[in-house]
Amino acid sequence: MENHKLPNATAVLVLGILSILTCCCYGIFGLILAIVGLYLTHKDLILYNGSPEKFMNFSQLNTGKILCIIGVVLNAISILYFIWVIKMIGLDAFQDPALLQERLQHLQDMAR
């Protein structure tokens, strides 16, 4: 019997890597990549579970799935961090440099 490759294994691996690399870009873009990667993983797992002896690159799919899960976690932490920063400083302070300086100084004084 001829072994085939799972159709989305390479795409899942690339999406997992990109989701980790883009976690510092406000978290939204990387989260979308990771979720798409997990969806493609689910589709390939259904295909693989139907006839596992037919496919040879399951380990690549599994690695991509793990990277996508790590990407979801890192991007969720990144999103929560940016929400916390906006909550602490205020969205209006990002438009006014003097107000931003004042609020940052206030946060530093509170930390002491």
Short mmCIF file of all heavy atoms in Angstrom, two decimals, residues 47-102:
data_model
loop_
_atom_site.label_atom_id
_atom_site.label_comp_id
_atom_site.label_asym_id
_atom_site.label_seq_id
_atom_site.Cartn_x
_atom_site.Cartn_y
_atom_site.Cartn_z
N LEU A 47 -9.24 12.51 8.97
CA LEU A 47 -8.75 11.73 7.83
C LEU A 47 -7.78 10.65 8.28
O LEU A 47 -7.84 9.51 7.82
CB LEU A 47 -8.07 12.69 6.84
CG LEU A 47 -7.69 12.18 5.48
CD1 LEU A 47 -8.95 11.78 4.71
CD2 LEU A 47 -6.94 13.26 4.73
N TYR A 48 -6.89 10.99 9.20
CA TYR A 48 -5.88 10.04 9.69
C TYR A 48 -6.52 8.91 10.49
O TYR A 48 -6.14 7.75 10.36
CB TYR A 48 -4.85 10.77 10.54
CG TYR A 48 -3.79 9.87 11.12
CD1 TYR A 48 -2.73 9.43 10.34
CD2 TYR A 48 -3.85 9.45 12.45
CE1 TYR A 48 -1.75 8.59 10.86
CE2 TYR A 48 -2.88 8.62 12.98
CZ TYR A 48 -1.84 8.20 12.18
OH TYR A 48 -0.87 7.38 12.70
N ASN A 49 -7.50 9.24 11.33
CA ASN A 49 -8.14 8.21 12.15
C ASN A 49 -8.94 7.21 11.32
O ASN A 49 -9.17 6.08 11.75
CB ASN A 49 -9.04 8.85 13.21
CG ASN A 49 -8.23 9.53 14.29
OD1 ASN A 49 -7.09 9.16 14.55
ND2 ASN A 49 -8.81 10.55 14.91
N GLY A 50 -9.33 7.61 10.12
CA GLY A 50 -10.03 6.70 9.24
C GLY A 50 -9.15 5.56 8.74
O GLY A 50 -9.59 4.42 8.63
N SER A 51 -7.90 5.86 8.45
CA SER A 51 -6.95 4.83 7.99
C SER A 51 -5.52 5.29 8.28
O SER A 51 -4.86 5.87 7.42
CB SER A 51 -7.14 4.54 6.50
OG SER A 51 -7.03 5.73 5.76
N PRO A 52 -5.03 5.05 9.50
CA PRO A 52 -3.72 5.55 9.90
C PRO A 52 -2.55 4.95 9.11
O PRO A 52 -1.51 5.58 8.97
CB PRO A 52 -3.61 5.20 11.38
CG PRO A 52 -4.76 4.35 11.71
CD PRO A 52 -5.72 4.38 10.58
N GLU A 53 -2.71 3.75 8.61
CA GLU A 53 -1.61 3.11 7.89
C GLU A 53 -1.37 3.75 6.52
O GLU A 53 -0.33 3.53 5.90
CB GLU A 53 -1.89 1.61 7.72
CG GLU A 53 -3.04 1.27 6.79
CD GLU A 53 -4.42 1.42 7.41
OE1 GLU A 53 -4.53 1.57 8.64
OE2 GLU A 53 -5.40 1.41 6.66
N LYS A 54 -2.28 4.57 6.09
CA LYS A 54 -2.21 5.17 4.78
C LYS A 54 -1.34 6.43 4.73
O LYS A 54 -0.88 6.84 3.67
CB LYS A 54 -3.64 5.53 4.36
CG LYS A 54 -3.91 5.63 2.91
CD LYS A 54 -5.41 5.78 2.75
CE LYS A 54 -5.76 6.20 1.35
NZ LYS A 54 -7.19 6.40 1.18
N PHE A 55 -1.09 7.04 5.89
CA PHE A 55 -0.39 8.34 5.93
C PHE A 55 0.93 8.22 6.67
O PHE A 55 1.06 7.49 7.64
CB PHE A 55 -1.28 9.39 6.60
CG PHE A 55 -2.57 9.59 5.88
CD1 PHE A 55 -3.75 9.03 6.35
CD2 PHE A 55 -2.62 10.32 4.71
CE1 PHE A 55 -4.94 9.21 5.68
CE2 PHE A 55 -3.81 10.49 4.03
CZ PHE A 55 -4.97 9.94 4.52
N MET A 56 1.91 9.02 6.22
CA MET A 56 3.24 8.89 6.79
C MET A 56 3.72 10.13 7.53
O MET A 56 4.76 10.09 8.17
CB MET A 56 4.25 8.54 5.69
CG MET A 56 4.41 9.58 4.64
SD MET A 56 5.61 9.05 3.44
CE MET A 56 5.72 10.50 2.43
N ASN A 57 3.03 11.24 7.50
CA ASN A 57 3.54 12.45 8.14
C ASN A 57 2.69 12.91 9.32
O ASN A 57 2.49 14.09 9.53
CB ASN A 57 3.70 13.57 7.11
CG ASN A 57 2.39 13.99 6.48
OD1 ASN A 57 1.42 13.25 6.50
ND2 ASN A 57 2.39 15.17 5.89
N PHE A 58 2.24 11.96 10.12
CA PHE A 58 1.45 12.30 11.30
C PHE A 58 2.27 13.08 12.32
O PHE A 58 1.74 13.96 13.00
CB PHE A 58 0.87 11.04 11.94
CG PHE A 58 0.08 11.33 13.18
CD1 PHE A 58 -1.17 11.91 13.09
CD2 PHE A 58 0.59 11.04 14.43
CE1 PHE A 58 -1.90 12.20 14.23
CE2 PHE A 58 -0.14 11.31 15.57
CZ PHE A 58 -1.38 11.89 15.47
N SER A 59 3.55 12.78 12.45
CA SER A 59 4.39 13.49 13.43
C SER A 59 4.50 14.97 13.09
O SER A 59 4.55 15.82 13.98
CB SER A 59 5.77 12.85 13.53
OG SER A 59 6.45 12.98 12.30
N GLN A 60 4.53 15.29 11.82
CA GLN A 60 4.57 16.69 11.41
C GLN A 60 3.26 17.40 11.79
O GLN A 60 3.28 18.53 12.27
CB GLN A 60 4.79 16.78 9.90
CG GLN A 60 4.97 18.18 9.37
CD GLN A 60 5.22 18.21 7.88
OE1 GLN A 60 5.10 17.19 7.19
NE2 GLN A 60 5.58 19.37 7.37
N LEU A 61 2.16 16.71 11.61
CA LEU A 61 0.87 17.27 12.01
C LEU A 61 0.79 17.46 13.51
O LEU A 61 0.31 18.48 14.00
CB LEU A 61 -0.27 16.35 11.54
CG LEU A 61 -1.69 16.81 11.87
CD1 LEU A 61 -2.06 18.04 11.05
CD2 LEU A 61 -2.68 15.70 11.64
N ASN A 62 1.28 16.50 14.26
CA ASN A 62 1.27 16.58 15.72
C ASN A 62 2.14 17.74 16.21
O ASN A 62 1.77 18.45 17.14
CB ASN A 62 1.72 15.25 16.32
CG ASN A 62 1.27 15.10 17.74
OD1 ASN A 62 0.22 15.59 18.13
ND2 ASN A 62 2.07 14.41 18.52
N THR A 63 3.31 17.92 15.60
CA THR A 63 4.19 19.04 15.96
C THR A 63 3.49 20.36 15.68
O THR A 63 3.54 21.29 16.50
CB THR A 63 5.51 18.94 15.19
OG1 THR A 63 6.13 17.69 15.47
CG2 THR A 63 6.44 20.07 15.56
N GLY A 64 2.85 20.47 14.53
CA GLY A 64 2.12 21.69 14.19
C GLY A 64 0.99 21.96 15.17
O GLY A 64 0.73 23.10 15.54
N LYS A 65 0.31 20.90 15.60
CA LYS A 65 -0.78 21.05 16.57
C LYS A 65 -0.25 21.59 17.90
O LYS A 65 -0.85 22.50 18.49
CB LYS A 65 -1.47 19.70 16.79
CG LYS A 65 -2.57 19.73 17.82
CD LYS A 65 -3.14 18.34 18.04
CE LYS A 65 -4.12 18.33 19.17
NZ LYS A 65 -4.59 16.98 19.47
N ILE A 66 0.87 21.06 18.35
CA ILE A 66 1.47 21.53 19.61
C ILE A 66 1.88 22.99 19.48
O ILE A 66 1.65 23.80 20.39
CB ILE A 66 2.66 20.63 20.00
CG1 ILE A 66 2.15 19.25 20.39
CG2 ILE A 66 3.47 21.26 21.12
CD1 ILE A 66 3.24 18.21 20.53
N LEU A 67 2.47 23.37 18.34
CA LEU A 67 2.86 24.76 18.13
C LEU A 67 1.64 25.68 18.09
O LEU A 67 1.68 26.80 18.60
CB LEU A 67 3.66 24.89 16.84
CG LEU A 67 5.07 24.29 16.86
CD1 LEU A 67 5.70 24.37 15.49
CD2 LEU A 67 5.93 24.97 17.89
N CYS A 68 0.54 25.21 17.51
CA CYS A 68 -0.68 26.02 17.48
C CYS A 68 -1.25 26.21 18.88
O CYS A 68 -1.73 27.30 19.22
CB CYS A 68 -1.72 25.38 16.56
SG CYS A 68 -1.38 25.58 14.81
N ILE A 69 -1.19 25.19 19.70
CA ILE A 69 -1.68 25.31 21.08
C ILE A 69 -0.82 26.31 21.85
O ILE A 69 -1.33 27.16 22.57
CB ILE A 69 -1.72 23.93 21.76
CG1 ILE A 69 -2.81 23.06 21.13
CG2 ILE A 69 -1.95 24.07 23.27
CD1 ILE A 69 -2.78 21.62 21.56
N ILE A 70 0.50 26.22 21.68
CA ILE A 70 1.40 27.19 22.31
C ILE A 70 1.10 28.59 21.79
O ILE A 70 1.08 29.56 22.55
CB ILE A 70 2.87 26.80 22.07
CG1 ILE A 70 3.20 25.51 22.81
CG2 ILE A 70 3.82 27.91 22.50
CD1 ILE A 70 4.55 24.90 22.46
N GLY A 71 0.83 28.70 20.49
CA GLY A 71 0.48 29.99 19.90
C GLY A 71 -0.79 30.58 20.48
O GLY A 71 -0.86 31.78 20.74
N VAL A 72 -1.80 29.74 20.70
CA VAL A 72 -3.05 30.22 21.31
C VAL A 72 -2.77 30.77 22.71
O VAL A 72 -3.24 31.86 23.08
CB VAL A 72 -4.11 29.10 21.36
CG1 VAL A 72 -5.26 29.47 22.29
CG2 VAL A 72 -4.64 28.80 19.98
N VAL A 73 -2.00 30.05 23.49
CA VAL A 73 -1.71 30.47 24.86
C VAL A 73 -0.92 31.77 24.87
O VAL A 73 -1.26 32.73 25.59
CB VAL A 73 -0.97 29.35 25.63
CG1 VAL A 73 -0.47 29.85 26.97
CG2 VAL A 73 -1.87 28.14 25.80
N LEU A 74 0.15 31.85 24.08
CA LEU A 74 0.97 33.07 24.05
C LEU A 74 0.20 34.27 23.55
O LEU A 74 0.33 35.38 24.09
CB LEU A 74 2.22 32.85 23.18
CG LEU A 74 3.28 31.93 23.75
CD1 LEU A 74 4.41 31.76 22.73
CD2 LEU A 74 3.84 32.47 25.05
N ASN A 75 -0.62 34.08 22.54
CA ASN A 75 -1.41 35.19 22.01
C ASN A 75 -2.49 35.62 22.98
O ASN A 75 -2.79 36.81 23.09
CB ASN A 75 -1.99 34.83 20.64
CG ASN A 75 -0.94 34.86 19.57
OD1 ASN A 75 -0.43 35.92 19.25
ND2 ASN A 75 -0.59 33.72 19.02
N ALA A 76 -3.09 34.69 23.69
CA ALA A 76 -4.09 35.05 24.70
C ALA A 76 -3.44 35.86 25.83
O ALA A 76 -4.00 36.86 26.28
CB ALA A 76 -4.76 33.81 25.27
N ILE A 77 -2.24 35.45 26.24
CA ILE A 77 -1.51 36.21 27.26
C ILE A 77 -1.17 37.60 26.75
O ILE A 77 -1.30 38.59 27.47
CB ILE A 77 -0.25 35.44 27.70
CG1 ILE A 77 -0.64 34.20 28.50
CG2 ILE A 77 0.69 36.34 28.51
CD1 ILE A 77 0.52 33.26 28.77
N SER A 78 -0.77 37.69 25.49
CA SER A 78 -0.44 38.98 24.90
C SER A 78 -1.66 39.90 24.84
O SER A 78 -1.56 41.09 25.17
CB SER A 78 0.13 38.76 23.49
OG SER A 78 0.46 39.96 22.88
N ILE A 79 -2.80 39.36 24.44
CA ILE A 79 -4.02 40.17 24.39
C ILE A 79 -4.40 40.65 25.79
O ILE A 79 -4.74 41.82 25.99
CB ILE A 79 -5.18 39.36 23.76
CG1 ILE A 79 -4.93 39.17 22.27
CG2 ILE A 79 -6.53 40.03 24.00
CD1 ILE A 79 -5.88 38.20 21.61
N LEU A 80 -4.33 39.76 26.78
CA LEU A 80 -4.64 40.16 28.15
C LEU A 80 -3.68 41.22 28.67
O LEU A 80 -4.09 42.14 29.38
CB LEU A 80 -4.64 38.93 29.06
CG LEU A 80 -5.76 37.93 28.83
CD1 LEU A 80 -5.56 36.69 29.70
CD2 LEU A 80 -7.11 38.57 29.08
N TYR A 81 -2.41 41.10 28.30
CA TYR A 81 -1.42 42.11 28.72
C TYR A 81 -1.75 43.47 28.12
O TYR A 81 -1.73 44.49 28.83
CB TYR A 81 -0.01 41.68 28.30
CG TYR A 81 1.02 42.76 28.53
CD1 TYR A 81 1.45 43.08 29.82
CD2 TYR A 81 1.53 43.49 27.47
CE1 TYR A 81 2.37 44.08 30.03
CE2 TYR A 81 2.46 44.49 27.68
CZ TYR A 81 2.87 44.78 28.95
OH TYR A 81 3.79 45.77 29.17
N PHE A 82 -2.07 43.54 26.83
CA PHE A 82 -2.38 44.82 26.22
C PHE A 82 -3.68 45.41 26.77
O PHE A 82 -3.79 46.63 26.92
CB PHE A 82 -2.44 44.69 24.70
CG PHE A 82 -1.08 44.55 24.07
CD1 PHE A 82 -0.73 43.40 23.40
CD2 PHE A 82 -0.13 45.56 24.19
CE1 PHE A 82 0.54 43.26 22.84
CE2 PHE A 82 1.12 45.44 23.64
CZ PHE A 82 1.47 44.29 22.96
N ILE A 83 -4.65 44.57 27.10
CA ILE A 83 -5.86 45.07 27.74
C ILE A 83 -5.53 45.64 29.11
O ILE A 83 -6.04 46.71 29.49
CB ILE A 83 -6.92 43.94 27.83
CG1 ILE A 83 -7.47 43.61 26.44
CG2 ILE A 83 -8.06 44.32 28.78
CD1 ILE A 83 -8.36 42.40 26.40
N TRP A 84 -4.66 44.98 29.86
CA TRP A 84 -4.26 45.46 31.18
C TRP A 84 -3.54 46.80 31.06
O TRP A 84 -3.80 47.72 31.85
CB TRP A 84 -3.37 44.43 31.86
CG TRP A 84 -2.87 44.86 33.19
CD1 TRP A 84 -3.55 44.87 34.37
CD2 TRP A 84 -1.57 45.38 33.48
NE1 TRP A 84 -2.75 45.35 35.37
CE2 TRP A 84 -1.52 45.68 34.85
CE3 TRP A 84 -0.45 45.62 32.70
CZ2 TRP A 84 -0.39 46.20 35.46
CZ3 TRP A 84 0.67 46.14 33.31
CH2 TRP A 84 0.69 46.42 34.68
N VAL A 85 -2.65 46.94 30.08
CA VAL A 85 -1.92 48.20 29.90
C VAL A 85 -2.89 49.32 29.57
O VAL A 85 -2.79 50.42 30.14
CB VAL A 85 -0.84 48.05 28.80
CG1 VAL A 85 -0.31 49.39 28.36
CG2 VAL A 85 0.29 47.17 29.28
N ILE A 86 -3.84 49.06 28.69
CA ILE A 86 -4.81 50.09 28.33
C ILE A 86 -5.68 50.45 29.54
O ILE A 86 -5.99 51.62 29.77
CB ILE A 86 -5.67 49.64 27.13
CG1 ILE A 86 -4.81 49.61 25.88
CG2 ILE A 86 -6.89 50.53 26.95
CD1 ILE A 86 -5.47 48.99 24.68
N LYS A 87 -6.01 49.45 30.36
CA LYS A 87 -6.81 49.72 31.55
C LYS A 87 -6.04 50.56 32.56
O LYS A 87 -6.58 51.46 33.18
CB LYS A 87 -7.24 48.40 32.19
CG LYS A 87 -8.11 48.57 33.42
CD LYS A 87 -8.40 47.21 34.02
CE LYS A 87 -9.18 47.30 35.29
NZ LYS A 87 -8.53 48.02 36.35
N MET A 88 -4.76 50.26 32.73
CA MET A 88 -3.96 50.98 33.72
C MET A 88 -3.62 52.40 33.28
O MET A 88 -3.62 53.32 34.09
CB MET A 88 -2.66 50.21 34.01
CG MET A 88 -2.86 48.89 34.70
SD MET A 88 -3.70 49.03 36.28
CE MET A 88 -2.45 49.80 37.27
N ILE A 89 -3.31 52.58 32.02
CA ILE A 89 -2.88 53.90 31.54
C ILE A 89 -4.05 54.70 30.99
O ILE A 89 -4.11 55.91 31.15
CB ILE A 89 -1.77 53.73 30.48
CG1 ILE A 89 -0.53 53.14 31.14
CG2 ILE A 89 -1.42 55.06 29.83
CD1 ILE A 89 0.59 52.82 30.19
N GLY A 90 -4.97 54.05 30.34
CA GLY A 90 -6.11 54.73 29.74
C GLY A 90 -5.87 54.97 28.27
O GLY A 90 -4.76 55.31 27.85
N LEU A 91 -6.91 54.79 27.50
CA LEU A 91 -6.80 54.94 26.05
C LEU A 91 -6.56 56.40 25.66
O LEU A 91 -5.87 56.67 24.68
CB LEU A 91 -8.08 54.40 25.39
CG LEU A 91 -8.01 54.05 23.93
CD1 LEU A 91 -6.87 53.06 23.67
CD2 LEU A 91 -9.30 53.45 23.47
N ASP A 92 -7.10 57.33 26.42
CA ASP A 92 -6.92 58.75 26.10
C ASP A 92 -5.47 59.20 26.27
O ASP A 92 -5.02 60.13 25.60
CB ASP A 92 -7.85 59.61 26.96
CG ASP A 92 -7.63 59.38 28.45
OD1 ASP A 92 -7.14 58.29 28.82
OD2 ASP A 92 -7.98 60.28 29.24
N ALA A 93 -4.71 58.54 27.11
CA ALA A 93 -3.33 58.94 27.35
C ALA A 93 -2.43 58.62 26.15
O ALA A 93 -1.37 59.24 26.00
CB ALA A 93 -2.78 58.24 28.59
N PHE A 94 -2.83 57.71 25.31
CA PHE A 94 -2.01 57.39 24.14
C PHE A 94 -2.08 58.48 23.08
O PHE A 94 -1.25 58.52 22.18
CB PHE A 94 -2.42 56.04 23.55
CG PHE A 94 -2.03 54.88 24.41
CD1 PHE A 94 -2.97 54.22 25.18
CD2 PHE A 94 -0.72 54.45 24.47
CE1 PHE A 94 -2.61 53.16 25.98
CE2 PHE A 94 -0.35 53.40 25.27
CZ PHE A 94 -1.29 52.75 26.03
N GLN A 95 -3.05 59.39 23.18
CA GLN A 95 -3.17 60.50 22.24
C GLN A 95 -2.43 61.74 22.71
O GLN A 95 -2.09 62.60 21.91
CB GLN A 95 -4.66 60.85 22.03
CG GLN A 95 -5.50 59.71 21.51
CD GLN A 95 -5.10 59.31 20.11
OE1 GLN A 95 -4.72 60.14 19.30
NE2 GLN A 95 -5.18 58.02 19.82
N ASP A 96 -2.18 61.85 24.01
CA ASP A 96 -1.56 63.04 24.59
C ASP A 96 -0.27 62.64 25.31
O ASP A 96 -0.31 62.00 26.36
CB ASP A 96 -2.54 63.68 25.58
CG ASP A 96 -2.02 64.96 26.17
OD1 ASP A 96 -1.00 65.49 25.69
OD2 ASP A 96 -2.65 65.45 27.14
N PRO A 97 0.90 63.00 24.77
CA PRO A 97 2.17 62.59 25.38
C PRO A 97 2.35 63.11 26.82
O PRO A 97 2.92 62.41 27.66
CB PRO A 97 3.23 63.19 24.46
CG PRO A 97 2.55 63.44 23.18
CD PRO A 97 1.12 63.70 23.51
N ALA A 98 1.86 64.30 27.12
CA ALA A 98 2.01 64.83 28.47
C ALA A 98 1.17 64.02 29.46
O ALA A 98 1.64 63.71 30.58
CB ALA A 98 1.60 66.30 28.51
N LEU A 99 -0.03 63.67 29.07
CA LEU A 99 -0.89 62.85 29.92
C LEU A 99 -0.32 61.46 30.10
O LEU A 99 -0.35 60.89 31.21
CB LEU A 99 -2.30 62.78 29.33
CG LEU A 99 -3.34 62.01 30.14
CD1 LEU A 99 -3.53 62.63 31.52
CD2 LEU A 99 -4.66 61.97 29.38
N LEU A 100 0.26 60.90 29.04
CA LEU A 100 0.91 59.59 29.12
C LEU A 100 2.07 59.64 30.11
O LEU A 100 2.21 58.76 30.95
CB LEU A 100 1.39 59.14 27.75
CG LEU A 100 2.10 57.80 27.68
CD1 LEU A 100 1.17 56.66 28.10
CD2 LEU A 100 2.64 57.56 26.29
N GLN A 101 2.88 60.67 30.03
CA GLN A 101 4.02 60.82 30.96
C GLN A 101 3.53 60.94 32.40
O GLN A 101 4.10 60.34 33.31
CB GLN A 101 4.83 62.06 30.56
CG GLN A 101 6.08 62.26 31.36
CD GLN A 101 7.12 61.20 31.07
OE1 GLN A 101 7.15 60.64 29.98
NE2 GLN A 101 7.96 60.91 32.03
N GLU A 102 2.46 61.69 32.59
CA GLU A 102 1.91 61.88 33.94
C GLU A 102 1.39 60.55 34.51
O GLU A 102 1.65 60.22 35.67
CB GLU A 102 0.78 62.90 33.87
CG GLU A 102 0.07 63.14 35.18
CD GLU A 102 -1.10 64.06 35.00
OE1 GLU A 102 -1.03 64.99 34.17
OE2 GLU A 102 -2.11 63.85 35.70
#
